[in-house]
Structure formats: structure tokens, C-alpha cells
Amino acid sequence: MATGGGASGAAGSCRADSPAGMEGREEEAAAPDPEVSDPSEDEEEEEEEEGSGVSVTPALLKACTGEFSLESILLLRLRGRGIAHLGCLADCSNLEWLDLSGNAIAGLAPLATLRALAVLNLAGNRVASVEPLRGCRSLRQLNLAGNRLRSLRQLRCLQGLRHLESLRLRDPLAHLGNPLCAAPAYRATLAAMLPGLKAIDGQRVAGRGSELFRLCHELDAALDAGDAPGAPAEPPGSAQPWVQAGFWEPRAPRRSAVLEEATRQLGQALRECRELGRRADDSIAQAQRALGRRHSGNFGF
């Protein structure tokens, strides 16, 4: 399998293949002897794949996004729609985020013109050549898990993508991979081939990472060093307080001329309010008494 994969990778390195070419190579890899496959079978599969599968059309894109102009589409999710041909996707010239996972895509030629594309998910397709992706100059994240890439040489086309930081070829949780993932050291080779990568298969290979990650890493290292056999035991010391002495004690109120004057004025206003309330009560009581005397007379009712 290693010999057959290497030969296929050398022949298909940085070269756009038709869907039939990819299907043919998949059957060759599964055959006991890849050198004796029948060319007529490849031709039959080519005719079958060209006539099958959904194609991306302007009507499909407008129905999915609600945009009347394909150039206005910035984010596009076409997940699990049975798509086999990318059709007019090249007309989405301003597309930045694209999810094509879970389809039957083999050829990527329409993606070559998407200069603004930054995130691309092609997981679970039939891709055997990523040559067209060399034109995606803004690409930062690329998911190719669950495709038909047989050799790391097929990924040399990505060396010109200066912004590429994350590349996924295998997803254990989703049970997706590529034939090249059978090589035990493919991650190390890939990191050397694409030194700009910071993450491979979701695992960080370069960069400092978050502050929390760094602290946890240093803590793990310190614990491992302390638990190592023969490590010198540190003498116990007194625990240091987190805060200064008296931090939690209530603070004495500070004297302030402004605060004292404001308190005095508030007290005076409260006293005036109480006096006004008392006067109002007296006036109401006098009015009630006067009305009572008036109603006590004989008014002829």
C-alpha cells in the first residue's frame, strides 16, 4: 500500500483530477495489485459520476442565503446536500467562510478564484487533489478529514498559503481520515513541510497558545518534577497571605468637609419637611372641623 500510495501521490501531486480519476485511484488502492486495474472501469465510473450528484447553481445559492447577488455572499453552509459539482461557486468572489462537509465533491477547480476565502471545511468528501486551493491566498483554516489524499506530496500545493494556520486531515471523533494518515509520523513531516501551521488535526504544534494553557502547562511540569523519583524535597515553609494584613478589616470613615456640609444640609431639609408636614396636618384638621360644623345645621334636606 505504501508503494502504491507513493506512486499515486507522485503522479497526482499539485494536479487537478477529475472525479473519475479520484474514484479510479480509490479502487486501485483497495485492489491487491494496483498495477493491474482495468482502464475501462475508470471510464465507466467517470460517466456515472459526471451524471450523478447535485451541482451548485445560482438558484441554490440564492435560496440558501437570501442574497440576490452571488458576490454579496460572505458565509455559505452547504453541508450534507449530496453535492458532487461546485458549479458556479467561483462567482462568489467575496466568500470568506465555506462549509462543504458531508458531500460527494471530488474536483475543487471552482475554488481557485476565491481569494478572500479564510475558512474551508471539506470533511467527508472525495477529494484526492488540492491543487486548486493554491489560489486561496487568504486561507487560514482547512479541514480535509475524510477524503482520499494518499501522499503528503499532494499537499505541497499549500506551501504558498502564508496565512494557513490550521490543517485537519484526521478527525477521530467523527471517524474521518485520509490514506496518508496511516503513516505514523505524518504530522511531523507535515509540520516540516508547512512550517506556518500552528495546529494539525486540532493539536497545537506551534505558538504560545492562551495564557491559561501556558499556566496549566507550567503547573503540570512543576508537579511532574516534584513527583519524579529522587527529586529533592523542598523544606516546608510558612504559607504566604494572599493579601496584606488588615485588608478585610473595615476602614475608618474619612473626614471630609464636603461630605459634612452635604450631611448638614440633608438634615436641615428633613427637618423642614417634617415641619411642613405638621403644618399640613393642622390645616387639614381645621378644614375637617369647619366642614363638620357646617354639615351639622339644617339645610332643608
Side-chain angles (χ1 to χ4, degrees), residues 54-62 69-71 73 76 78 83 85-95 98 109-111 113-114:
V54 178
S55 180
V56 178
T57 62
L60 174 62
L61 296 180
K62 292 177 182 179
S69 172
L70 299 186
E71 296 180 354
I73 301 176
L76 185 57
L78 296 174
I83 296 173
H85 311 285
L86 297 182
C88 67
L89 204 56
D91 297 331
C92 303
S93 55
N94 295 314
L95 194 62
L98 177 59
L111 303 182
T113 60
L114 303 183

Side-chain angles (χ1 to χ4, degrees), residues 165-204:
E165 297 180 350
S166 175
L167 176 60
R168 184 181 286 275
L169 298 172
R170 181 173 176 268
D171 189 346
L173 296 179
H175 304 288
L176 297 175
N178 281 273
L180 65 84
C181 297
Y186 79 92
R187 286 194 183 96
T189 306
L190 186 60
M193 179 189 303
L194 303 173
L197 289 179
K198 295 182 179 179
I200 297 176
D201 296 343
Q203 298 181 8
R204 181 171 290 274

Side-chain angles (χ1 to χ4, degrees), residues 231-292:
E234 296 183 0
S238 58
Q240 298 297 323
W242 290 0
V243 295
Q244 297 179 355
F247 180 83
W248 302 109
E249 296 178 2
R251 300 175 183 268
R254 296 191 308 173
R255 299 183 60 84
S256 171
V258 176
L259 182 59
E260 291 177 356
E261 178 62 20
T263 303
R264 186 189 65 78
Q265 293 182 8
L266 178 60
Q268 182 179 355
L270 291 175
R271 288 191 295 271
E272 293 177 356
C273 289
R274 283 194 293 269
E275 179 64 21
L276 291 175
R278 186 187 63 79
R279 293 179 183 179
D281 291 339
D282 292 343
S283 298
I284 292 173
Q286 292 177 6
Q288 288 177 345
R289 287 194 296 271
L291 289 174

